[in-house]
Every structure is written in C-alpha cells, then in structure tokens.
Amino acid sequence: MSEKESVTECQTAENVASTYPSPAKSLGEPGITPLSPSMSPKDSEQTASLHQSFVVVVAIDFGTTSSGYAYSFSRDPECIHIMRRWEGGDPGVSNQKTPTTILLTPDGKYHSFGYAARDFYHDLDPNDSKQWLYFEKFKMNLHTTSNLTIETELEAANGKKVKAIEIFACALMFFKDHALQELSDQAGSQFGNPDVRWVITVPAIWKQPAKQFMRQAAYKAGLASPDCPEQLIIALEPEAASIYCRKLRLHQMIDLSAKDAANGYSATETLSSGITHGDRYIVVDCGGGTVDLTVHEVKLPEGHLKELYKASGGPYGSIGVDF
C-alpha cells in the first residue's frame, strides 16, 4: 500500500471528498455529477473529447437487496443492453438483477457474489457456515452510520467484522470483471477498463460522506482512479429513473388495454414527446432500502432537469417490512 493510500484510509469520508474532488460541475453536491449539467463552451469541448475516449458506458445499479448493470456503446447510446445472465439462481429464469450478497472465505478472501454467494453459503454444513463471512443487505450501513470513515466495519452473519470499504470494493470489482468479460464476449475482442466509463447510482437522500465513500470503494476496485476521476460518475437514483421514464412508451407504464389514449397521449408515444418547457413532476423511487422523493422541472430545448426541492424521503424501503 502506498503512503498516499495509507493517509487516505485514516481520513473521514468528508475529508476524502476534499482530497479527491470530483471533476463534476455539481449543483451543491460535491462529487455528484448532474445528469444534465450547465456547461460553458470550454466544458462542452472537454466533455465531448472525454466521451470520445470511452467506447462504452456501464451503469451499475447497486441496490440494497438486488443489484445489476446495463451498458450502451458510445456509437449508439440509445441502444441499452441489460445483463440478464447470472451464475446461480433459478434454472431457466432470466433475472435482470442478482442478490446483493457477498461471501468471503474463513480467512477473509473474496469467494463469490450474488446468487452464487447465496446458494453456496446456504448449502454449507451449519457448523462450517459459522466460519465463512456472509454479508447481505449491507448497503444502508453507509446511510445509517453517523460517523462514516474508511475504518467503518460491517458485521457478517457469523458476527465477525470486516472493513466496509473492503466489502464494497469486492462487490464493485465483481461487477467490473463481470461487465468486462461480457463486453469482450459480445464484441469478440478483449475489452479493457480504459475503454469503459462507469456510472454508479446512489440514493438521493444519502449524505455526502456516503456518496464519497462509494467513489473511494470504486477507486479501490479499480473502476477509476484519483488520477482519472472523470471515468466514474456517481449518479442519483431518482434522476436516472426520471431520464429512463421519459424514454418509455406510455403503454409500458400503465395498462391501456381498454383505452385509446390517456391524458392526451397515445399508447405509442413517449412521455418526453408531450413535455414542454417548465413542466414539473415528482419522482417517487421506492427501493429495497430507501424511498426517495424528488421534484423536477424540465428546461428546454436542452431537456435539462432542475431539482426544485431538496430530495426527501428516508430508510423506508421494502426491507423495513420484510420480516
């Protein structure tokens, strides 16, 4: 470990944010890149050059209960490929996500993630399983820990503790390796990490230390580095959901089987086709760990989103009623 890395591990997540500031021209949220930032001509030139250097964008949905990723190539950004093939799980079932579970060997080495981790752990002899370190639903610890630092620990099912940064880095490394292998298989040639721009989504209600902690875990996993922070975007989940919903056809969101149109829209129109300058709407993002509420206003002609009110919500996700 380098001297710089040793110093970093002793800092709080807030101090880390100042040590490795994000390149984003963020709106009151250091380290978080707006999906549609207001940019100067110089910024636009830099961004255009940056986009040209990445062949593909891979977005990781790191959830409390389940996680997954999707990717699109820079030459055709509207064509989004969702990973549906995961090791383990129910035979013959296509899943867009895999459980956010991770398994370490008795000596603390990474073993598996997702369905593979869950199935292997539950197949262990009860006495043997007590020696293995199994983690699940650990994401919300970044939100609930009041004094989050690089030294913060997570407790495994057997009661043993491991540094949280190690667990999150292992999980992100799994997605990095999985995505690079998938891209290589699809392209028929070897994909390297420098070809990829990464996006990791986080809840809007997370405080800055938790968001910056995620960036540090990504650095540790090798997705990006402090020398090239632009390779990684930390995006807010409701903003990503808002962009996605605007691309959907109306019939993909509501049942129109008995209707020709709804609110003036035909079933084949996208929501964005009827959006005008100044339109406002609420995004309710209900996840496994949190429920986020955000209010957006559309700015045309660019289609930028303006957040009218600070994101609200809380740890009211499905795990709160999952007993």
Side-chain angles (χ1 to χ4, degrees), residues 60-68 97-101 113 136-140 168 175 200-201 203 206 214 237 287-289:
I60 301 172
D61 180 5
F62 196 110
T64 300
T65 56
S66 300
S67 299
K97 293 186 179 182
T98 189
T100 308
T101 55
F113 182 90
E136 63 179 352
K137 301 175 183 176
F138 52 86
K139 174 185 171 183
M140 282 300 292
F168 279 87
F175 284 109
I200 301 175
T201 57
W206 272 16
M214 209 64 170
E237 291 171 355

Side-chain angles (χ1 to χ4, degrees), residues 307-320:
E307 188 176 81
L308 295 181
Y309 301 100
K310 182 179 179 180
S312 61
Y316 314 131
S318 60
I319 61 173

Side-chain angles (χ1 to χ4, degrees), residues 6 15 29 34 66 84 91 114 127 134 139 176 178 183 195 210:
S6 298
N15 290 335
E29 284 287 353
S66 300
R84 290 185 172 89
N127 290 326
Y134 181 71
K139 174 185 171 183
K176 183 191 75 169
H178 198 288
L183 289 168
D195 299 321

Side-chain angles (χ1 to χ4, degrees), residues 161-182:
K161 295 184 178 181
V162 179
K163 285 186 178 181
I165 193 74
E166 300 289 344
I167 300 302
F168 279 87
C170 281
L172 291 174
M173 191 178 298
F174 163 81
F175 284 109
K176 183 191 75 169
D177 293 344
H178 198 288
L180 290 177
Q181 185 61 55
E182 171 68 14

Side-chain angles (χ1 to χ4, degrees), residues 108-304:
K109 303 296 183 182
Y110 170 79
H111 180 270
S112 52
F113 182 90
Y115 285 114
R118 185 197 67 180
D119 295 346
F120 185 92
Y121 177 73
H122 289 302
D123 287 343
L124 286 171
D125 179 90
N127 290 326
D128 292 337
S129 66
K130 295 177 182 178
Q131 305 303 316
W132 291 69
L133 290 85
Y134 181 71
F135 298 86
E136 63 179 352
K137 301 175 183 176
F138 52 86
K139 174 185 171 183
M140 282 300 292
N141 283 272
L142 299 191
H143 178 71
T144 57
T145 301
S146 58
N147 186 28
L148 182 67
T149 72
I150 298 298
E151 301 299 322
T152 296
E153 295 181 319
L154 298 178
E155 186 174 314
N158 63 0
K160 295 183 179 180
K161 295 184 178 181
V162 179
K163 285 186 178 181
I165 193 74
E166 300 289 344
I167 300 302
F168 279 87
C170 281
L172 291 174
M173 191 178 298
F174 163 81
F175 284 109
K176 183 191 75 169
D177 293 344
H178 198 288
L180 290 177
Q181 185 61 55
E182 171 68 14
L183 289 168
S184 298
D185 292 345
Q186 293 296 325
S189 59
Q190 194 65 32
F191 258 83
N193 195 63
D195 299 321
V196 182
R197 189 175 206 188
W198 300 93
V199 180
I200 301 175
T201 57
V202 299
I205 63 167
W206 272 16
K207 294 181 174 61
Q208 185 55 34
K211 296 171 183 175
Q212 191 62 28
F213 187 98
M214 209 64 170
R215 175 171 285 273
Q216 287 305 117
Y219 287 166
K220 191 174 183 66
L223 276 69
S225 71
D227 295 330
C228 187
E230 301 90 353
Q231 191 175 4
L232 171 67
I233 293 176
I234 302 295
L236 302 183
E237 291 171 355
E239 287 191 357
S242 178
I243 296 287
Y244 174 73
C245 288
R246 286 167 59 182
K247 296 291 184 182
L248 291 178
R249 307 287 180 182
L250 193 62
H251 71 83
Q252 293 175 295
M253 300 188 69
I254 60 176
D255 182 13
L256 295 176
S257 58
K259 303 176 184 177
D260 294 327
N263 297 326
Y265 293 94
S266 71
T268 56
E269 283 186 295
T270 62
L271 293 187
S272 59
S273 63
I275 288 179
T276 60
H277 179 75
D279 278 357
R280 301 174 180 182
Y281 56 90
I282 298 175
V283 178
V284 183
D285 182 5
C286 303
T290 60
V291 173
D292 287 333
L293 298 172
T294 51
V295 182
H296 289 159
E297 181 178 306
V298 179
K299 296 293 186 180
L300 295 178
E302 298 87 355
H304 294 175

